Amino acid sequence: MVRHWGRSRARSTGPPGAVRPRGASRALPEGGPGPRRDAGERRRSAAALWPVLRRRSVAGQVFLLQVVVVLVLVAAAVVALVLQARHDSTQEARHRSLAVAGTFAEAPGTLAALRGPDPTAVLQPRAEAAREATGVDFIVVMATDGTRYTHPLPDRIGKKFVGTIEPALAGEPVTEEIEGTIGRLVQAVVPIREPDGTVVGLVSAGITTERVGGAADRQLPLVLTAAGVGLAVATAGTALVSRRLLRQTRGLGPREMTRMYEHHDAVLHSVREGVLILDGDGALLLANDEARRLLDLPDDAEGRHVRELGLDPATAELLASGRVATDEVRLVKDRLLAINQRPTDLTGGPAGSVATLRDSTELRALSGRAEMARERLDMLYAAGVGIGTSLDVTRTAQELTELAVPRFADFVTVDLFDAVLAGEQPEAGLELRRTGFGGIRDDAPLYPVGRRIRFVPSSPQARSLRSGQAILEPRLNDAAGWQAQDLERTAQVLEYGIHSLITAPLRAGSLTLGLANFWRSRKPEPFDAEDLALAEELVARAAVSIDNARRYTREHTMAVTLQRSLLPRSLPEQNALDVAYRYLPAQAGVGGDWFDVLPLSGARVALVVGDVVGHGLHAAATMGRLRTAVHNFTALDLAPDELLTLLDEMVARIDQHEAEEGGSAPVTGATCLYTIYDPVSRRCAIARAGHPPPALVLPDGRVEFPEVPAGPPLGLGGLPFETADLELAEGTRLVLYTDGLVEDRARDIDVGLGLLREALERAGPLPEDTCRTVVDARLPARPGDDIALIVARTRALGADRVAAWDVPADPAAVADVRSSVTRRLAEWGLDELAFTTELILSELVTNAIRYGGSPIRVRVLRDRALICEVFDGSSTAPHLRYAGMTDEGGRGLFLVAQLAERWGTRYLPTGKVIWAEQPLP
C-alpha cells in the first residue's frame, strides 16, 4: 500500500506551470539508469499533461491541480501513520520489556531463589506466570555468566543466553532489538543485586514488535477507509470550489483572463477618481494615476506603508485603519478630498481595504458652515445634558458658564435677583447679584462673583430686563449706554481686550430670573445675529433649570423651617440625666427624625426618639404631629407600652382619615422608642415600636445592647407593645438613635451596630464627648437619611433627698404625717415651705384615707422642686371642682392646686399616686 501511494504521488507531480510556446516539446531519453529513467518518466508525464491543462479553463486547471494535491496529502498522511505506528510499537516494546524485567528482578523471592540450591525449580513457574500476566514473549532468569535458569521452552534451560549482558553486569539495564527465532523482537536485560549492590544474576524480558504493533496494523484498513472518504469529500469540495470559480471567471482561460486584466488596468488609470488598494497591514498595493495626483505620491509609493508617504496624520490614520468611511472630508495640502473606504474582507475576500478619493475643494465653504452648525447642535445637546445636574441655583448658573466657555464665548457671567437665590419669586428691578463667572482667564476686570450690581437704565442689561429680549452689542467701543454703567471699570474692560457682548434675560414663563452675559475678547470678529440666536437658545434652556432649582430651594427652605420649628430648641432642666444630643439632617432633603426630653412627675425623665420614613414637607409635618401627640400622652404619665399603644391607634386613625379624604400618603414606616428613667429607684422602663434597640455604656466602659422587645412600626396595629425594665448603675450612659446612624444602602444594620459599639467603647465619659466620638466615627460623607442621637448619663437621687412614710388608714395619722414632714423640711433647710407642705399633705392624705384604699404611703423628694407624693391602692381618679358657698367639703384639691406649682395623678399597676410640686426658695 505504501509503495502504491508513493507511485501515485510521483505520477501526480508535474513540472512548474510555466507557459511554453505552442508546439514546443522536449525529447526525453529512453532507458538509462534507474534514477535518471524515473526523472525522464516524470518529465514525459508533465509534457503529456500540459497540453491537457492548456486546453482547459482556469476553473478546470484549478480542479485538476487541487485533486492532485489532495491525493498527495492523503498518501503522505497514510505513510506518516504507518511509520508512526511502527515507531510507537518499537518504543512500547522497549518500555514493556524493561518494565517487566525490572519488576521481576526486584520481586520478593527472586534474590533468595538465586541463593537456593535449585533456582530453576523456584523461578521457572514464577517466570511463566509473570509472562502470561504481562503479555511478553519470554522472561529469562540467568546467572552472571549467561546460563539460563528459566525459559518458556524447558529444553533451553541451562543454555547460554543470546544477547548483550555486559552493561547489565556493570549494573546498568540494557535494551536491544534483535532478530530472534520467533521473529524481530525487543529484549531488555536488568541486573539482580545483593543489598550491597553486587550483581548476582540477570533477568531478561522480550516481546516481538508484531505483538505490540498488531493493533496499529488492524487499524490500517480503517485508516485507509477514512482516507478514502476524506478523498471523496475533498474531491467534492474541490468540485464545488471549481464550479464557483468557473462562474466567477465565466469559463475564461488564461489568455482571456490576461486580456481582462489589461482592460481593467486601463479603466483603473483613466477614471477621474483616485483609487487606493491597501493590504491588512496598511501597505499600499495599488494606486491609480488620479490618486497619485491628488495625494502627490512618490514614484515608489506602492509597497510602502501609507504612513510613510508624507500624508497628513489624519488622512494617513484613516487609510491605515481600514475602517468604513463614507464621504469623510479631509484637507490634504490645498485640496479638500472626500474619502470613501471599505474593507475587502467583508464577504470573505483578502484582508485589506479599498479607498476612493474625490476632489471636493469647491465645497470647502459649505463644509465650514456645516461644521459650525454641527458644533452648535452639539453645544445645545450638551446644554440639555450638562445644565441642571443639581437642584442648586448657584451651581446651575455656574454650569452655564462652564458650558459656554470657550466654545461660544471667552467670558460668561450670570446675574440673578436675590429673591431667586432664596427660592422666592423675583420682583421687577435693576439690581442683581453676580452668581456665576467663567472665562479663559481669571484676571478679567468684570464684576466679581457675589457683587450686587445695579444697572443704569441705558445699559444693555437694563434694556434687556425691561424688554425681555436678548440684546447684541457687537462693538463695545461704540456702546455709550454700556460705558455709562461704570466709566472706570468699562475702560478697564476695553483695555483688557473684551470687545463684544450679548446679554440675554433668563426667563421661565412670565418670570425674569436674571441675566446671562457673553463676552468675546480673543476672537477678533464680533458676535453676529447667528450668535445671538444661539445665545437665546442656551439661556432659555438654562433658565428652566435655574427655575427648577429655585422652586426646589423654596420647598426645601420651607421644609427645613418646619422641621426646625418642630424640633426642641433647648433641653428642659432636670436633675435625673446629663443629656447631650446631635441632629444631622440628610444631604438630599428634610426627613422625619425627631427626639425629645420630657420631665415627668416624681423627678423622672422620659426620653423619646422617632423616625418617619421619607423626606420633604409631608415627613416633617408628620413628625410634628407625632411629637405633639407624645407630648400630650406624656401628660397622662403613662407607661411606655401604654403610650406607644395610644400613639399606634392615633397613627392608624390618621391613615384612615387621609385615605378617606384622598389626601397625602399615609404614615407608613413611622418608628418610635420611649423610655422613662426614675432617679430614685434607678429603674429604666423602655418600649419600642419598630425602632433600633438602645445601647448602654456601663460605668466600667463596657457596651451592651439590652434585649428590648421589638413591637411593630406605628400604624400597623394587631400586636401589643412590651416594656423592658432595667436597673441602671449611676453613671451609665443611655444611647438612643435613629437608623440613619447604623444603616444605609451600602451597610447592613448588624455591621452598623458593631461599628457603633466600637465608637462607644473608645468615647469619653461625658455625654458630649460620646456624641462627638460617635458622630465623627459613623457620619457618612453625604448622609442619605437624618440622624438623631441622644446620650443621657444617669444620676441617682440620694437617700438623703428622699423621705417616705407608711400611713395607716386612720384620720388621726394625718397629724403624725405633718409632724414628720416638718422635721424633715427642717433638716433640709426648707422651713419656709413647712406650712404649705403640711396643708398639701393633710388634704392629699385625708382624701386617700377617706376615698382611697390601703396601703397608703407618703413620699417627699427634694430635687429641683419639693415633690410630695401620696400613694393609695385605689384607682379612682380625683376630680378638681369648685365648691359652693354653703358646701362643707370639696375644696381640698382646689386648695392643693392653688398652693402647688404643679400637681397631677399617675397610675400604677396596684393603685395611683397624687403628687404636687413646689418651687424651692
Side-chain angles (χ1 to χ4, degrees):
M1 291 298 294
V2 174
R3 289 192 298 273
H4 171 75
W5 283 103
R7 288 197 302 272
S8 298
R9 180 180 179 181
R11 286 198 303 271
S12 300
T13 304
V19 178
R20 298 179 180 273
R22 179 173 295 182
S25 64
R26 185 174 181 180
L28 299 177
E30 299 286 343
R36 297 187 60 185
R37 185 165 53 250
D38 293 340
E41 291 178 357
R42 288 196 295 271
R43 285 193 291 271
R44 285 195 297 274
S45 299
L49 182 62
W50 184 247
V52 178
L53 293 176
R54 290 186 57 187
R55 287 193 295 272
R56 289 184 174 271
S57 65
V58 174
Q61 295 178 12
V62 170
F63 175 77
L64 291 177
L65 291 177
Q66 287 187 344
V67 170
V68 171
V69 170
V70 170
L71 290 173
V72 171
L73 292 177
V74 171
V78 172
V79 172
L81 177 63
V82 173
L83 294 178
Q84 183 65 36
R86 291 184 178 180
H87 177 268
D88 293 344
S89 299
T90 302
Q91 289 298 110
E92 184 179 354
R94 286 176 174 271
H95 295 327
R96 187 185 299 182
S97 59
L98 184 61
V100 171
T103 302
F104 195 86
E106 298 292 336
T110 302
L111 181 60
L114 288 179
R115 295 173 180 170
D118 188 0
T120 298
V122 177
L123 296 176
Q124 176 67 10
R126 295 183 180 179
E128 288 305 299
R131 179 178 66 82
E132 293 178 359
T134 58
V136 298
D137 289 306
F138 65 84
I139 296 178
V140 175
V141 182
M142 68 193 83
T144 56
D145 59 355
T147 302
R148 300 188 182 102
Y149 290 136
T150 66
H151 197 278
L153 301 176
D155 59 344
R156 303 288 178 89
I157 297 175
K159 296 181 180 181
K160 294 292 186 176
F161 174 75
V162 178
T164 304
I165 63 174
E166 286 76 11
L169 293 175
E172 297 293 333
V174 61
T175 304
E176 59 183 344
E177 299 181 28
I178 64 172
E179 192 72 34
T181 58
I182 59 175
R184 186 167 184 79
L185 57 85
V186 177
Q187 65 182 11
V189 182
V190 299
I192 302 174
R193 296 184 178 90
E194 290 281 359
D196 60 356
T198 304
V199 178
V200 297
L202 304 173
V203 177
S204 175
I207 185 171
T208 59
T209 56
E210 292 182 355
R211 171 174 287 197
V212 176
D217 294 338
R218 288 191 298 272
Q219 294 176 357
L220 185 58
L222 179 61
V223 173
L224 294 178
T225 302
V229 173
L231 178 60
V233 173
T235 304
T238 302
L240 292 176
V241 172
S242 299
R243 288 183 60 187
R244 183 174 181 181
L245 182 61
L246 182 64
R247 290 196 303 269
Q248 293 178 347
T249 60
R250 302 182 183 274
L252 298 177
R255 291 185 178 180
E256 290 82 0
M257 294 291 292
T258 301
R259 286 197 299 272
M260 181 181 292
Y261 169 77
E262 292 173 351
H263 294 162
H264 289 177
D265 188 64
V267 172
L268 179 68
H269 291 286
S270 62
V271 296
R272 301 306 298 169
E273 188 171 271
V275 178
L276 299 174
I277 301 178
L278 299 94
D279 63 11
D281 297 329
L284 181 63
L285 299 180
L286 183 145
N288 68 348
D289 296 340
E290 182 67 8
R292 291 178 178 274
R293 183 185 70 83
L294 294 176
L295 299 178
D296 196 14
L297 297 178
D299 295 337
D300 60 345
E302 294 180 355
R304 297 170 58 184
H305 198 278
V306 70
R307 294 191 180 93
E308 302 174 358
L309 301 180
L311 304 177
D312 66 283
T315 304
E317 184 62 29
L318 171 62
L319 297 176
S321 67
R323 64 177 175 85
V324 175
T326 302
D327 287 336
E328 291 196 13
V329 179
R330 291 288 187 274
L331 182 62
V332 180
K333 297 183 179 178
D334 59 343
R335 297 185 180 92
L336 200 63
L337 302 182
I339 302 177
N340 291 273
Q341 183 168 259
R342 295 293 184 273
T344 57
D345 56 355
L346 293 178
T347 58
S353 60
V354 176
T356 61
L357 314 173
R358 185 175 66 256
D359 190 355
S360 57
T361 307
E362 66 278 3
L363 300 177
R364 178 178 300 179
L366 181 60
S367 175
R369 297 187 62 183
E371 182 68 18
M372 183 179 298
R374 185 186 64 83
E375 290 181 357
R376 293 187 173 185
L377 287 176
D378 289 345
M379 188 182 304
L380 293 177
Y381 173 77
V385 175
I387 298 178
T389 59
S390 67
L391 292 174
D392 181 80
V393 175
T394 303
R395 177 59 190 159
T396 305
Q398 189 63 30
E399 287 172 348
L400 173 60
T401 66
E402 294 172 357
L403 174 74
V405 176
R407 301 172 65 179
F408 178 65
D410 298 322
F411 299 94
V412 178
T413 58
V414 178
D415 306 323
L416 300 176
F417 290 103
D418 286 336
V420 175
L421 297 175
E424 303 297 333
Q425 290 190 4
E427 297 180 357
L430 298 178
E431 188 173 17
L432 293 87
R433 184 179 299 275
R434 180 135 298 173
T435 307
F437 173 83
I440 57 176
R441 295 172 59 182
D442 297 331
D443 57 349
L446 300 170
Y447 288 121
V449 173
R451 174 74 174 270
R452 291 177 62 90
I453 308 171
R454 185 173 185 82
F455 293 103
V456 298
S458 63
S459 66
Q461 289 87 349
R463 289 185 282 127
S464 177
L465 288 174
R466 288 194 301 268
S467 65
Q469 302 294 326
I471 292 180
L472 168 64
E473 288 287 355
R475 294 176 179 80
L476 294 178
N477 282 325
D478 303 332
W482 171 77
Q483 295 180 16
Q485 172 67 34
D486 186 339
L487 296 178
E488 181 180 357
R489 185 175 294 274
T490 54
Q492 295 174 355
V493 170
L494 293 175
E495 183 180 357
Y496 187 80
I498 298 176
H499 59 82
S500 188
L501 165 66
I502 292 178
T503 181
L506 290 160
R507 293 180 57 82
S510 60
L511 296 179
T512 300
L513 309 176
L515 291 168
N517 305 288
F518 303 91
W519 314 80
R520 177 173 286 181
S521 65
R522 183 170 53 183
K523 190 175 181 179
E525 294 84 3
F527 286 120
D528 55 21
E530 292 185 359
D531 295 326
L532 180 64
L534 178 59
E536 289 177 333
E537 185 67 25
L538 285 176
V539 170
R541 301 193 179 198
V544 174
S545 298
I546 292 176
D547 188 55
N548 290 337
R550 178 191 67 83
R551 294 172 182 268
Y552 172 79
T553 301
R554 180 184 61 186
E555 294 183 2
H556 181 72
T557 303
M558 292 172 59
V560 170
T561 303
L562 175 61
Q563 183 187 44
R564 290 179 178 175
S565 66
L566 295 175
L567 289 174
R569 300 184 180 180
S570 61
L571 298 181
E573 296 182 354
Q574 45 81 30
N575 290 339
L577 298 169
D578 289 332
V579 180
Y581 68 93
R582 292 290 188 276
Y583 187 87
L584 305 170
Q587 186 73 23
V590 176
D593 292 13
W594 54 283
F595 67 94
D596 237 325
V597 179
L598 305 171
L600 302 178
S601 63
R604 298 171 304 133
V605 175
L607 300 176
V608 58
V609 290
D611 184 7
V612 176
V613 175
H615 296 86
L617 284 174
H618 177 67
T622 303
M623 176 267 288
R625 297 166 78 176
L626 294 180
R627 180 168 178 257
T628 302
V630 170
H631 271 265
N632 295 333
F633 293 149
T634 302
L636 300 177
D637 222 332
L638 301 174
D641 56 336
E642 297 176 359
L643 184 140
L644 291 182
T645 300
L646 293 178
L647 198 62
D648 179 64
E649 294 175 355
M650 187 204 76
V651 172
R653 288 195 302 271
I654 293 175
D655 290 347
Q656 182 179 3
H657 176 72
E658 292 186 348
E660 293 175 353
E661 296 295 330
S664 57
V667 191
T668 55
T671 65
C672 184
L673 186 146
Y674 187 79
T675 178
I676 297 176
Y677 173 69
D678 187 349
V680 179
S681 62
R682 293 184 287 105
R683 306 294 298 183
C684 183
I686 306 175
R688 60 189 180 112
H691 203 81
L696 295 179
V697 184
L698 303 182
D700 58 2
R702 291 184 294 114
V703 178
E704 296 180 355
F705 290 93
E707 292 292 336
V708 179
L714 299 176
L716 298 183
L719 293 176
F721 299 99
E722 299 181 35
T723 299
D725 194 17
L726 309 175
E727 183 175 351
L728 305 181
E730 186 175 7
T732 300
R733 280 167 285 167
L734 179 62
V735 182
L736 310 181
Y737 52 90
T738 55
D739 59 355
L741 183 68
V742 296
E743 187 178 16
D744 56 32
R745 294 180 179 178
R747 181 178 58 218
D748 188 71
I749 188 171
D750 293 333
V751 178
L753 291 176
L755 297 175
L756 176 61
R757 178 190 295 271
E758 295 176 2
L760 292 175
E761 288 175 346
R762 64 173 181 270
L766 298 178
E768 186 65 31
D769 296 338
T770 304
C771 284
R772 185 182 306 109
T773 302
V774 170
V775 170
D776 291 345
R778 302 295 305 119
L779 181 62
R782 295 178 61 86
D785 194 6
D786 293 357
I787 296 175
L789 172 66
I790 301 178
V791 179
R793 187 173 64 174
T794 62
R795 296 177 181 175
L797 194 62
D800 59 335
R801 291 176 171 266
V802 180
W805 304 274
D806 292 326
V807 180
D810 183 359
V814 177
D816 297 334
V817 172
R818 288 199 299 266
S819 301
S820 300
V821 169
T822 301
R823 287 193 299 270
R824 181 52 60 95
L825 293 180
E827 295 174 2
W828 288 343
L830 299 177
D831 296 318
E832 299 178 17
L833 299 179
F835 178 73
T836 56
T837 304
E838 288 181 7
L839 288 178
I840 291 174
L841 285 179
S842 296
E843 293 298 333
L844 295 180
V845 173
T846 300
N847 285 341
I849 295 174
R850 181 176 300 176
Y851 305 110
S854 299
I856 301 173
R857 185 176 177 83
V858 174
R859 188 173 72 166
V860 180
L861 307 177
R862 180 188 175 187
D863 192 43
R864 286 183 172 271
L866 183 66
I867 305 171
C868 299
E869 298 179 338
V870 177
F871 169 84
D872 66 78
S874 173
S875 59
T876 303
H879 297 284
L880 179 66
R881 67 186 182 88
Y882 295 94
M885 294 296 295
T886 60
D887 292 343
E888 296 182 359
R891 296 180 177 84
L893 288 180
F894 179 78
L895 180 61
V896 171
Q898 294 298 317
L899 295 177
E901 185 178 41
R902 293 194 312 150
W903 76 281
T905 304
R906 69 174 182 268
Y907 294 91
L908 304 177
T910 58
K912 67 177 182 297
V913 174
I914 302 178
W915 55 271
E917 290 185 3
Q918 303 176 73
L920 295 179

